[in-house]
Amino acid sequence: MASSAAYLDADENLEAIISHIEQKSRKIETLLKQSKPVEALKTALEGSPLKTRDERCKSANWIVVHRAMMAIRDVDGMFNSLDPEYYDILMKYLYRGLSTGDRPTCDQCLKIHEKLTEKAGLGCILRSLADTVNTV
Amino acid sequence: MAATPAVAIHQFAECITCHAWSPDQSMIAFCPNNNEVHIYKLFTDKWEKLHVLAKHDQIVSGIDWSRSSNKIVTVSHDRNSYVWTQEGSDWVPTLVILKLNRAALCVQWSPKENKFAVGSGAKSVCICYYEQENNWWISKVIRKRHESSVTSLAWHPNNIYLATTSTDGKCRVFSTFIKGVDTRGSQSSTATDSKFGEQITQLDLSSTWAFGVRWSASGKTLAYAGHNSMIYFVDEVESAPAAQNLALRDLPLRDVLFVSESVAIGVGFDCNPMIFAADDTGLWSFVRFLDERKATPSTSKASQLSEALGKLYGQSKGTSSDTVEPSKPRGGAHENCITCIVPLTKGRDGTIKRFSTSGLDGKIVVWDLENHITIAK
């Protein structure tokens, strides 16, 4: 597939992505301690590794998003401060959450899914389903 | 207040694949989701079936009726195309050998009506022109570039450039210059200097199936729909493509029509035409749905959906009805996906005042824009 030179380049890239996610994780823990779950979620969603095919990076980012998502108690309130630019990426992570089958995760994802669909519309769901290039 | 924009609704069949109007708009030709083309004529206030064109073996996927030469071209999943000419009270078919090994999916007459283009499942586009000496239509195939089925076509007003959309997600513009059919003209332009089959531009904006490509009347703007509920407006396609990606709130579109240089209508799975407009700076945005009729039920679609999801995961969320009805009649003109939009009448200012739509519900609806939207030139 890729030549060995390109593969090495990808490796370095992946390391950069993983360390970026680790940075995010620390920032999120701080924000959660300050009772700012929406800020934490925004931080988690920003800079998500959509373009890479590497499963480790995607899983690492998912763990971080999951942590922030589960800390949200007031879903309605969350949408008051979440900008529309985050809707599409949040929807993709909601479906990842639903696919885990874990009861608490699914409960939370469904709660958020209902409100997000009201806010963003069915088009948002379609984009998360149809986009096979930028995946979470 | 103002009457509904849907001025006429006709239920012609259970399902309609595509439709086209005669030059004087007294007759309509459509495929009722089978291998035939039915032509109906309006007598006072009743539509009567006048002709049945039955030459194809499979579903007729595309029909176009030329305005000046009054010829009907039809293409079908049976890989054939016929050009129908009216002789007296009959329509006489002429077979056009397309040399396809997959279904033909769409067809459009060129602006000068001396060529027509056919998009196919064979990842190719056939450009057909009439050869006077042998009295038959010849097909020249553009085989390169497309990686999947060609879903829709649109001719640029210069009669040479052709835009295509494909299920490979891309929109491409090709030159269809044919020696002997197209003239080079005294001034050299990039269009007349191009070679047949040459790809002018490739737009890779959607990672999903693309449909419904259309040029604005001047050819300055190109629009097409992505199956990911997006619509793309592109300016300066030939030189420096500048695209605007509009994310739609609702379901995807299947076809698009430019009503003026700054207003476009999109139709699709929401069963209701969507109006898009560009402001003075050229920025496109969604305005509103055209048909104002609202559905009566109080539960919104979203909460119905989450009720269903809730049931799936064993939670009971809704307190109202026990059963979830996913397909309530919406109260609009169309009850199912609109797949085809055709322009009808132009106003004195060159903008389109009336257009028609057909869909999977078997209806053809005529829409009037006068008094319903103000169209800035």
Side-chain angles (χ1 to χ4, degrees):
Chain A
M1 222 181 70
S3 70
S4 56
Y7 187 78
L8 266 172
D9 187 52
D11 240 354
E12 283 167 11
N13 223 8
L14 296 180
E15 289 311 315
I17 295 173
I18 298 271
S19 70
H20 176 66
I21 295 172
E22 279 165 10
Q23 264 184 332
K24 276 205 292 190
S25 178
R26 288 190 285 273
K27 197 163 166 210
I28 284 161
E29 290 305 325
T30 322
L31 286 168
L32 288 177
K33 282 205 190 80
Q34 298 170 350
S35 302
K36 292 191 181 144
V38 187
E39 282 304 313
L41 184 60
K42 278 194 214 176
T43 311
L45 294 174
E46 257 158 29
S48 294
L50 295 173
K51 299 261 193 268
T52 176
R53 297 267 165 196
D54 184 63
E55 274 312 311
R56 282 184 314 142
C57 291
K58 291 189 187 293
S59 299
N61 205 65
W62 160 241
I63 290 169
V64 156
V65 170
H66 181 247
R67 173 93 182 88
M69 199 196 296
M70 294 308 287
I72 305 237
R73 295 278 158 259
D74 177 19
V75 176
D76 286 309
M78 168 181 87
F79 279 105
N80 290 334
S81 35
L82 192 68
D83 305 305
E85 58 185 279
Y86 293 103
Y87 289 173
D88 280 0
I89 175 88
L90 176 60
M91 186 61 85
K92 288 182 184 173
Y93 276 112
L94 287 181
Y95 277 102
R96 177 147 186 172
L98 289 173
S99 73
T100 61
D102 169 58
R103 188 65 199 236
T105 308
C106 290
D107 278 356
Q108 180 75 332
C109 286
L110 277 178
K111 272 207 206 89
I112 302 177
H113 187 281
E114 177 175 12
K115 292 286 175 258
L116 181 58
T117 311
E118 258 177 57
K119 281 264 170 179
L122 294 176
C124 185
I125 297 179
L126 265 149
R127 274 185 293 282
S128 71
L129 290 175
D131 196 348
T132 49
V133 170
N134 308 302
T135 53
V136 300
Chain B
M1 211 199 72
T4 170
V7 294
I9 304 176
H10 306 290
Q11 180 86 50
F12 281 110
E14 265 187 51
C15 176
I16 292 182
T17 321
C18 52
H19 75 284
W21 292 84
S22 63
D24 63 358
Q25 288 164 21
S26 64
M27 293 190 279
I28 191 162
F30 62 86
C31 170
N33 203 35
N34 59 17
N35 64 330
E36 299 171 342
V37 174
H38 293 193
I39 298 183
Y40 277 68
K41 189 178 173 95
L42 186 62
F43 289 100
T44 327
D45 58 349
K46 226 173 147 281
W47 286 94
E48 305 267 344
K49 192 194 296 189
L50 221 55
H51 302 106
V52 173
L53 312 179
K55 260 306 206 163
H56 286 292
D57 300 317
Q58 289 181 52
I59 209 171
V60 179
S61 44
I63 304 174
D64 201 10
W65 202 324
S66 62
R67 293 216 153 180
S68 315
S69 44
N70 193 37
K71 288 194 203 292
I72 301 177
V73 62
T74 59
V75 293
S76 157
H77 286 189
D78 66 6
R79 301 169 279 129
N80 284 330
S81 166
Y82 286 95
V83 174
W84 303 80
T85 328
Q86 196 166 24
E87 283 172 26
S89 59
D90 290 316
W91 284 92
V92 179
T94 309
L95 174 67
V96 180
I97 314 264
L98 297 173
K99 300 179 278 195
L100 289 177
N101 59 3
R102 290 286 185 277
L105 300 174
C106 48
V107 64
Q108 289 288 319
W109 281 108
S110 73
K112 291 206 183 106
E113 297 170 10
N114 52 2
K115 297 187 281 192
F116 63 87
V118 180
S120 79
K123 313 182 201 178
S124 62
V125 179
C126 309
I127 311 294
C128 304
Y129 62 97
Y130 189 65
E131 200 176 67
Q132 191 70 41
E133 307 94 66
N134 294 313
N135 187 28
W136 68 348
W137 294 83
I138 296 191
S139 156
K140 273 188 88 160
V141 189
I142 302 176
R143 279 186 218 286
K144 293 198 270 205
R145 302 298 185 169
H146 293 104
E147 291 148 30
S148 189
S149 303
V150 179
T151 52
S152 76
L153 307 157
W155 286 92
H156 187 281
N158 67 14
N159 208 60
I160 294 171
Y161 285 162
L162 180 75
T164 68
T165 50
S166 165
T167 43
D168 66 8
K170 303 183 179 59
C171 173
R172 300 173 174 85
V173 178
F174 292 93
S175 163
T176 64
F177 188 92
I178 299 177
K179 241 167 64 170
V181 179
D182 299 297
T183 46
R184 290 231 180 256
S186 49
Q187 295 163 312
S188 139
S189 78
T190 10
T192 50
D193 282 344
S194 55
K195 272 183 12 212
F196 179 86
E198 183 186 326
Q199 180 178 282
I200 309 295
T201 317
Q202 177 173 290
L203 302 163
D204 193 3
L205 303 169
S206 176
S207 53
T208 58
W209 294 356
F211 293 101
V213 66
R214 234 20 178 247
W215 295 90
S216 66
S218 68
K220 277 206 286 273
T221 316
L222 184 75
Y224 68 99
H227 209 52
N228 51 350
S229 284
M230 303 266 305
I231 183 168
Y232 304 97
F233 289 96
V234 191
D235 287 310
E236 311 271 339
V237 181
E238 304 135 59
S239 42
Q244 285 175 51
N245 306 6
L246 249 73
L248 303 176
R249 221 199 115 76
D250 298 289
L251 299 175
L253 300 173
R254 284 297 301 276
D255 207 357
V256 177
L257 176 69
F258 274 95
V259 152
S260 74
E261 290 296 316
S262 57
V263 179
I265 309 273
V267 291
F269 291 92
D270 281 304
C271 318
N272 195 342
M274 299 174 93
I275 306 172
F276 298 92
D279 63 14
D280 299 321
T281 65
L283 197 68
W284 286 89
S285 62
F286 169 66
V287 178
R288 63 177 174 85
F289 281 101
L290 181 57
D291 200 0
E292 280 132 34
R293 282 186 246 187
K294 285 196 194 338
T296 42
S298 48
T299 49
S300 73
K301 235 198 309 200
S303 57
Q304 279 177 6
L305 200 59
S306 62
E307 255 191 74
L309 281 174
K311 295 247 181 304
L312 197 59
Y313 285 94
Q315 293 172 301
S316 51
K317 285 197 155 197
T319 48
S320 45
S321 62
D322 221 275
T323 49
V324 179
E325 297 165 49
S327 51
K328 277 199 166 90
R330 313 167 63 115
H334 274 292
E335 289 164 337
N336 208 327
C337 176
I338 305 175
T339 53
C340 183
I341 181 170
V342 175
L344 274 176
T345 31
K346 280 209 188 109
R348 246 164 291 147
D349 57 356
T351 64
I352 292 175
K353 295 279 181 253
R354 283 192 168 210
F355 61 87
S356 65
T357 53
S358 70
L360 303 182
D361 57 357
K363 290 187 183 166
I364 292 183
V365 180
V366 177
W367 305 83
D368 193 310
L369 294 173
E370 203 81 65
N371 305 321
H372 289 280
I373 52 174
T374 43
I375 303 171
K377 279 285 287 287

